[in-house]
Amino acid sequence: MAFEFRLPDIGEGVVEGEVVKWKVKEGDVLGQDQPMVEVMTDKATVEIPSPRPGRVDKILVAEGKICKVGQVMIVIDDGQKAKGEDKAETKPEAKPETKVQPPPATALPPLTMSASGNGRSAQTAATTHTMMRAIVGSGATERVLAAPSTRRLAREMGVDLGAVTPTGKSGRVTSDDVRNARRAPEGPSAQVPVSVPPGGLEDRIPFRGVRKAIAQNMARSKFTATHFTYVEEVDMTELVALRARAKDKAAERGVKLSYLPFIIKAVVHGLKKWPSINASLDEARQELVWKRYYHIGMATQGPQGLSVGVVRDADKRSIFDLGREIERLAEAIRAGKASREDLTGSTFTISSLGQLGGVLATPIINFPEAAILGVHKIAERPAVVGGQIAIRHLMNLSISVDHRIADGYDAAMFVQEVKVYLEDPTLLFMEMV
């Protein structure tokens, strides 16, 4: 019997994945739980095993192609006859079914993340297919064909689905249709994709996978959150000296000590005092969510683009423990092996390029967080100290904030609080933050 395997729901908010590599080919014999295919989403790379033994009849999604959740990826011939097939041969006059039933739920083996092996049970193909069906209701908007994730996006962006021009199959409204409707001014030409004609020697790279996901998330943030930026200069001289003294002790414990653990500690203290910065706007419920937990994201450049590694419960970690976790996350991201747990759930994000940090930037908020802090390079510059000109280690901080959630006063006071703890780092240990 031909078994159609559909891409299961492999993570919250994931609606599609790119087929990175098939580990089988048509005609191969599959064993139960045998690794079958690697799929890359915007969250992580997932290895999907075979849900049953059999022979590969047909591969329907080629490597490098995008597969939607619920779409048939591969057909497996498991050698079994369909239920009732033998009876049909002896009873040809059997009445045809008058009611179409969904396929029976088939338990799938656990999925494994390529980074850590932490997996989650996949939903059945039938359940996934049901989740992806268009919802048909009674109102004008409900009659629009759209996946649940697209409807949720439309609600979050304040877009009327009934007014969106669909470009998907069978007149379905896609997520890109919703984003284009949100960004574009009125007029039929506004939703036409821009074409870049060839102009000479070029390299053309498919716009998909993580790069496309980053672009979509950044566009959503920029056109949803009302960004404003505040900048402050920080004298890091005392912290530079403290880190220099602590580096050897950290190395003895196997920790590569950067400035980030100290900055995270200062940030946590600021977030506790100014909770509107550690917040999100629940647009569906029209609620401001002030979070009393502190999962700090770190924007890190990986081989597939920018990812945000998440240091969980940063308020409960020591400086050395923060150093270990920062290094672990950075290595996992650079190796392309970060798990979904490593990349989701941040409440506030820090963007730092170290010595490449430049003088100033206006980072885009990691939506749906309220703010993101840009950390720039530390450089020796002249400064006035006690009425005298002195050479000091100075650094700029820039914070981008969603003005829907927090005001300029809150942002400025938060940065000033962070500045106090960075300029006098002994306070970090006195306050035990």
Side-chain angles (χ1 to χ4, degrees):
M1 181 176 70
F3 170 72
E4 295 182 339
F5 179 83
R6 302 172 185 271
L7 179 63
D9 180 358
I10 50 180
E12 181 182 356
V14 174
V15 298
E16 64 182 17
E18 178 182 340
V19 175
V20 178
K21 182 180 181 181
W22 280 104
K23 299 194 172 184
V24 296
K25 62 183 182 295
E26 293 180 359
D28 283 358
V29 176
L30 276 170
Q32 179 84 28
D33 297 342
Q34 177 181 335
M36 187 170 62
V37 63
E38 289 183 6
V39 177
M40 180 178 66
T41 72
D42 59 324
K43 305 294 185 184
T45 297
V46 179
E47 183 180 84
I48 301 178
S50 173
R52 59 177 65 185
R55 182 181 60 81
V56 178
D57 187 26
K58 195 167 186 180
I59 292 175
L60 300 176
V61 184
E63 292 181 359
K65 297 297 183 181
I66 300 299
C67 183
K68 301 288 186 181
V69 168
Q71 179 181 341
V72 179
M73 303 181 70
I74 185 174
V75 178
I76 301 172
D77 184 355
D78 58 10
Q80 299 180 10
K81 291 185 178 181
K83 186 177 181 181
E85 186 176 321
D86 291 333
K87 293 181 180 179
E89 295 175 0
T90 58
K91 296 181 179 180
E93 297 181 0
K95 293 182 179 180
E97 292 183 351
T98 59
K99 184 177 180 181
V100 178
Q101 298 290 341
T106 304
L108 299 179
L111 301 179
T112 56
M113 297 294 185
S114 62
S116 62
N118 293 331
R120 61 186 294 273
S121 295
Q123 295 192 357
T124 65
T127 303
T128 301
H129 180 68
T130 301
M131 291 175 63
M132 292 301 294
R133 289 182 303 176
I135 300 173
V136 180
S138 57
T141 299
E142 289 300 306
R143 286 195 293 271
V144 175
L145 287 174
S149 59
T150 303
R151 295 181 180 277
R152 182 173 64 251
L153 176 61
R155 288 195 303 270
E156 292 172 350
M157 301 185 74
V159 173
D160 179 8
L161 280 177
V164 176
T165 302
T167 63
K169 186 177 180 180
S170 303
R172 182 183 296 268
V173 175
T174 68
S175 296
D176 284 341
D177 294 337
V178 173
R179 294 186 185 95
N180 288 335
R182 175 68 168 79
R183 290 195 294 267
E186 295 184 359
S189 63
Q191 296 185 25
V192 177
V194 175
S195 178
V196 181
L201 183 61
E202 299 174 341
D203 290 327
R204 295 213 167 208
I205 303 167
F207 188 49
R208 64 192 184 202
V210 173
R211 184 72 262 164
K212 185 175 182 180
I214 292 171
Q216 291 173 337
N217 291 338
M218 292 298 98
R220 180 183 182 189
S221 176
K222 192 65 176 177
F223 289 97
T224 302
T226 54
H227 287 59
F228 74 91
T229 301
Y230 173 84
V231 182
E232 179 59 285
E233 184 179 68
V234 180
D235 189 337
M236 297 285 284
T237 306
E238 296 299 324
L239 184 53
V240 168
L242 175 61
R243 173 179 171 267
R245 294 195 300 270
K247 282 179 65 177
D248 289 343
K249 290 294 182 183
E252 291 175 3
R253 293 165 171 78
V255 178
K256 184 178 179 181
L257 188 61
S258 67
Y259 292 105
L260 270 178
F262 300 97
I263 293 172
I264 288 176
K265 279 294 185 182
V267 161
V268 167
H269 185 77
L271 294 176
K272 287 184 175 181
K273 191 162 184 179
W274 298 96
S276 64
I277 306 300
N278 195 54
S280 294
L281 173 61
D282 188 327
E283 295 174 327
R285 297 186 178 184
Q286 289 296 289
E287 295 174 343
L288 287 171
V289 184
W290 287 12
K291 301 168 185 177
R292 301 295 183 179
Y293 49 95
Y294 306 91
H295 303 333
I296 306 301
M298 303 178 306
T300 304
Q301 190 68 29
Q304 299 167 342
L306 194 67
S307 299
V308 176
V310 182
V311 178
R312 299 188 180 277
D313 299 314
D315 56 319
K316 301 174 183 178
R317 296 176 181 265
S318 68
I319 293 290
F320 286 167
D321 189 22
L322 285 171
R324 291 189 192 94
E325 183 65 0
I326 290 168
E327 190 172 2
R328 183 192 72 79
L329 286 169
E331 288 178 355
I333 290 172
R334 284 193 288 266
K337 295 184 178 180
S339 68
R340 183 175 181 273
E341 184 77 4
D342 290 335
L343 302 175
T344 57
S346 57
T347 62
F348 180 89
T349 297
I350 296 172
S351 178
S352 172
L353 285 175
Q355 290 302 309
L356 297 176
V359 176
L360 175 65
T362 56
I364 297 176
I365 296 166
N366 185 23
F367 192 82
E369 296 168 20
I372 183 171
L373 186 70
V375 176
H376 306 289
K377 69 178 179 181
I378 301 171
E380 288 186 310
R381 298 199 296 266
V384 177
V385 180
Q388 302 292 322
I389 296 177
I391 301 299
R392 308 289 287 181
H393 292 273
L394 302 180
M395 178 187 75
N396 289 337
L397 292 177
S398 59
I399 186 170
S400 295
V401 181
D402 187 343
H403 217 322
R404 301 176 306 166
I405 301 174
D407 294 326
Y409 178 81
D410 292 4
M413 293 305 294
F414 164 76
V415 173
Q416 292 302 320
E417 194 73 16
V418 173
K419 176 179 178 177
V420 165
Y421 283 86
L422 293 179
E423 292 190 338
D424 187 359
T426 57
L427 294 175
L428 291 174
F429 306 101
M430 293 178 184
E431 294 281 0
M432 296 296 290
V433 296

